[in-house]
Amino acid sequence: MNAATSPPGYYGLPVIHRSHWKWLVIFYFFFGGIAGAAQAIAAVAAARDREGNRDVIRAARYVSLAAFLPCPALLILDLGRPGRFLHMLRILKFRSPMSIGSWTLALFGAAATAVATGQALDDRPSLLPDGIASLARRLLGPASVVAALLGVLLSAYTGVLLAATAVPIWAKRSRLLGPIFVASAMSTAAAAIDIATESRRIALLEGICSATELAVLAAWFARLGSIRRPLAAGRLAPLFRHAVIGAGIAAPFGLRAIGPHMPASARRAIEVMAALLTLVGGFALRYVIVVAGAESADDPAATFALTAAPGSEAGR
Amino acid sequence: MTDNRRGVTLAPDHAVGFLTDASLCIGCKACEVACKQWNGLPADDITGRLTGQSYDNTTDLGATTWRHVAFVERASGPATAWLMLSDVCKHCVHAGCMEACPTGAIIRTEFESVYIQPDICNGCGYCVPACPFGVPQLDAEAHIARKCTLCYDRLRDGLEPACAKTCPTDSIRFGPVADLMAEATARVETLRARGVADAQIYGDLASGGTNGIGGLNAIFVLNAAPETFNLPAAPSLPADRALPAYASALAAAAGLLGAAFLAFGRRRS
Ligand code: SF4
């Protein structure tokens, strides 16, 4: 047998090891993004026009807490040793996005809980005795700023987490992965808020974020070169094209374009439909990127394209 | 301070490692066996799945396989050339796995080797895709990440690692990295003089295999291109991508929140 390895490599075997991440992490990326971005949206809306955006702010704060709640469980269950989850907090390591993310999520959870509590007391002051209620409401302002800052980091670090690996499709254009995750976190958070409360402003924001997401995705895809293979061909390609781009980004724009021409009674339903599709697209995006990472890690040609010696042909 | 191999004195804060020489390997897999025996690792299950890839039924480094002998057969004139190399954790000077580890389970030992503390690791698995060489892996039974320890326990007792001890041809050598590098340089010169054009050091800042990784403490002498043995020619340190990625992600967030600020102030129609 002559194994003269014509494409460079070793019997086509993977060079690197793929990550074990599957559904738990895909759901976490989805919910964590919504939780973080919703908190940031609430803070910006409050800073701009607290009265005019009252409903959006309230919805965003509740959406954020609701989306946060499953996150710790998803991450803990994903550990090989769930009982050791507290080891995540035994050190803080700036060089490790996983460490930054763990700390961010833990602190964010506290802040988001404080914000939602303050909001609830704002809605119904009678929930708690006067003294406590007024204290909680006074803390609402500072807590929402802290939650917003942590929320931005929460929605951003997941892209960095993937970029800082040896997986070719995550590593190749590492600077575009963060913006993709951020834009998708913002669009899905806006969509969730949009479903919870009616607001043209949040629908407008959702559109802006989706358009940004599309632009960054297109740039990413175009600049991946041969490493884009899992997205361009194979099982994931139709999902990427039809679920992420088609259903998740194009369809909501289409629905919003025809919305105003529909009878007034149908408009809200169309808006909710558009927002739901944005959520579906955002989830599909997380799925596609995580699974594409596994396929990319298994592909020695992709790894060699990423790690070719400077100046050699494979480096392109 | 303990006496080790060939009179080598093992002192803390003194980088030691492997030199694995492909041109001396005879493919006996004694290193694989010695490693498994010393470290109490289970045998690879090959029942019903002989690979058909020359004599390689190990195929990869993994949670319970810390040495892997690669076999390449290729035509060289009328004959077949045999290439064999025992792969192992590189114990990188800047280790991707260690930078990624969020718990601090992965440490740099007093021998400059990279060691996963089994009682700290919580099995998050982030080191697995963060190693540019595909070394650590989650163990299906222990549910933690595992890889070569450079026989940390043996080193502490003044013994050289089991694989190096057992290698019958001295294809695997153990010692201070600086000494090994000198040996490797001399060996590559000899091989080149004998007509092995592809002879090269892998894991040296000058000659490759370390782009961004700052050098390897387990270096190799190769007699073919690194890719032939499934080694990346110019791997990079994944953690170096984090800072630019944060910057662009936060810039995108700032831009979109700026847009949100405008959107939330629009006159309501
Ligand atoms: S080769 Fe991989 S596992 Fe070994 S030290 Fe380097 S990054 Fe860590």
Side-chain angles (χ1 to χ4, degrees):
Chain A
M1 182 183 51
N2 178 4
T5 42
S6 24
Y10 186 73
Y11 303 105
L13 293 169
V15 179
I16 59 167
H17 287 151
R18 54 151 81 185
S19 161
H20 73 281
W21 292 335
K22 289 209 181 70
W23 290 106
L24 291 169
V25 167
I26 293 167
F27 272 104
Y28 165 68
F29 284 173
F30 180 68
F31 285 127
I34 293 178
Q39 208 65 243
I41 291 172
V44 168
R48 182 66 198 257
D49 176 5
R50 188 181 304 276
E51 277 315 305
N53 295 315
R54 179 167 285 280
D55 291 346
V56 167
I57 297 168
R58 179 194 298 116
R61 286 170 173 168
Y62 290 143
V63 161
S64 174
L65 182 66
F68 162 79
L69 285 176
C71 291
L74 289 169
L75 286 188
I76 290 170
L77 288 175
D78 188 64
L79 296 176
R81 294 285 195 97
R84 293 184 180 175
F85 74 94
L86 273 178
H87 287 200
M88 285 295 187
L89 305 182
R90 70 187 272 282
I91 60 168
L92 168 61
K93 194 159 153 189
F94 288 106
R95 289 279 282 175
S96 166
M98 181 76 95
S99 176
I100 296 284
S102 304
W103 278 99
T104 304
L105 184 71
L107 298 174
F108 176 86
T113 307
V115 167
T117 309
Q119 180 67 44
L121 290 169
D122 216 39
D123 295 346
R124 275 198 217 160
S126 58
L127 275 177
L128 285 177
D130 271 356
I132 303 178
S134 74
L135 176 69
R137 284 158 69 194
R138 241 180 302 129
L139 285 178
L140 181 54
S144 67
V145 172
V146 171
L149 292 174
L150 290 166
V152 168
L153 196 53
L154 186 63
S155 67
Y157 95 89
T158 45
V160 180
L161 184 79
L162 302 188
T165 65
V167 175
I169 203 168
W170 296 340
K172 176 76 180 175
R173 294 297 172 200
S174 50
R175 265 170 297 191
L176 293 176
L177 220 50
I180 290 172
F181 274 75
V182 165
S184 175
M186 292 273 294
S187 68
T188 47
I193 299 167
D194 192 8
I195 292 170
T197 183
E198 201 170 343
S199 155
R200 303 180 68 118
R201 290 171 168 186
I202 200 77
L204 172 66
L205 176 63
E206 192 187 325
I208 295 171
C209 296
S210 286
T212 309
E213 187 183 334
L214 180 64
V216 188
L217 271 177
W220 181 60
F221 185 79
R223 302 184 62 199
L224 278 174
S226 64
I227 288 175
R228 76 167 74 103
R229 189 172 307 146
L231 298 177
R235 204 166 64 80
L236 290 175
L239 209 57
F240 182 58
R241 242 176 282 139
H242 300 132
V244 177
I245 309 282
I249 298 178
F253 275 114
L255 284 173
R256 292 203 172 100
I258 61 164
H261 307 294
M262 290 299 176
S265 58
R267 284 185 202 155
R268 177 65 184 152
I270 289 175
E271 180 56 36
V272 169
M273 176 72 92
L276 280 173
L277 283 170
T278 302
L279 287 171
V280 169
F283 184 80
L285 176 71
R286 306 308 198 286
Y287 176 86
V288 164
I289 290 185
V290 168
V291 177
E295 293 186 3
S296 184
D298 284 350
D299 177 7
T303 301
F304 290 137
L306 182 75
T307 61
S312 78
E313 267 169 55
R316 165 182 33 95
Chain B
M1 295 252 198
T2 24
D3 252 3
N4 202 273
R5 154 199 164 266
R6 288 200 245 147
V8 166
T9 299
L10 207 56
D13 302 322
H14 193 89
V16 293
F18 290 126
L19 165 57
T20 309
D21 186 340
S23 69
L24 293 177
C25 181
I26 56 171
C28 70
K29 302 195 204 191
C31 53
E32 286 190 18
V33 175
C35 174
K36 282 189 181 285
Q37 285 196 319
W38 179 262
N39 293 297
L41 303 172
D44 298 324
D45 178 18
I46 58 162
T47 40
R49 58 173 204 94
L50 293 174
T51 62
Q53 285 148 8
S54 189
Y55 284 86
D56 187 357
N57 297 309
T58 307
T59 67
D60 195 10
L61 294 170
T64 56
T65 304
W66 301 346
R67 273 274 178 192
H68 160 229
V69 181
F71 291 79
V72 178
E73 296 168 46
R74 59 182 188 186
S76 119
T80 298
W82 278 76
L83 304 178
M84 298 150 216
L85 175 74
S86 179
D87 195 11
V88 70
C89 170
K90 285 41 175 199
H91 295 281
C92 308
V93 171
H94 299 302
C97 60
M98 188 175 147
E99 306 251 353
C101 177
T103 62
I106 306 188
I107 57 163
R108 172 101 32 213
T109 71
E110 64 271 40
F111 307 105
E112 298 289 314
S113 57
V114 178
Y115 177 67
I116 305 179
Q117 302 173 88
D119 53 334
I120 304 293
C121 175
N122 65 7
C124 81
Y126 190 44
C127 58
V128 175
C131 169
F133 303 98
V135 175
Q137 203 169 44
L138 285 176
D139 186 308
E141 272 173 39
H143 305 291
I144 58 171
R146 302 185 78 188
K147 70 168 192 72
C148 163
T149 67
L150 201 73
C151 282
Y152 189 32
D153 51 348
R154 290 175 63 97
L155 294 195
R156 292 181 65 109
D157 281 344
L159 299 169
E160 67 178 317
C163 56
K165 177 82 184 168
T166 210
C167 177
T169 64
D170 238 2
S171 168
I172 302 175
R173 271 169 271 174
F174 170 80
V177 176
D179 298 3
L180 295 177
M181 191 60 81
E183 285 180 43
T185 309
R187 179 68 185 164
V188 165
E189 265 167 36
T190 309
L191 289 171
R192 288 238 172 103
R194 283 189 201 160
V196 185
D198 280 334
Q200 57 192 283
I201 301 178
Y202 184 81
D204 171 33
L205 280 177
S207 59
T210 65
N211 175 36
I213 292 168
L216 309 180
N217 288 333
I219 58 173
F220 299 80
V221 167
L222 304 181
N223 46 11
E227 281 91 349
T228 312
F229 305 103
N230 242 12
L231 296 170
S236 48
L237 182 61
D240 282 344
R241 287 188 271 276
L243 217 51
Y246 277 121
S248 61
L250 294 178
L256 288 174
L257 290 173
F261 191 77
L262 297 179
F264 282 127
R266 267 183 20 132
R267 283 213 88 75
R268 306 218 275 168
S269 39

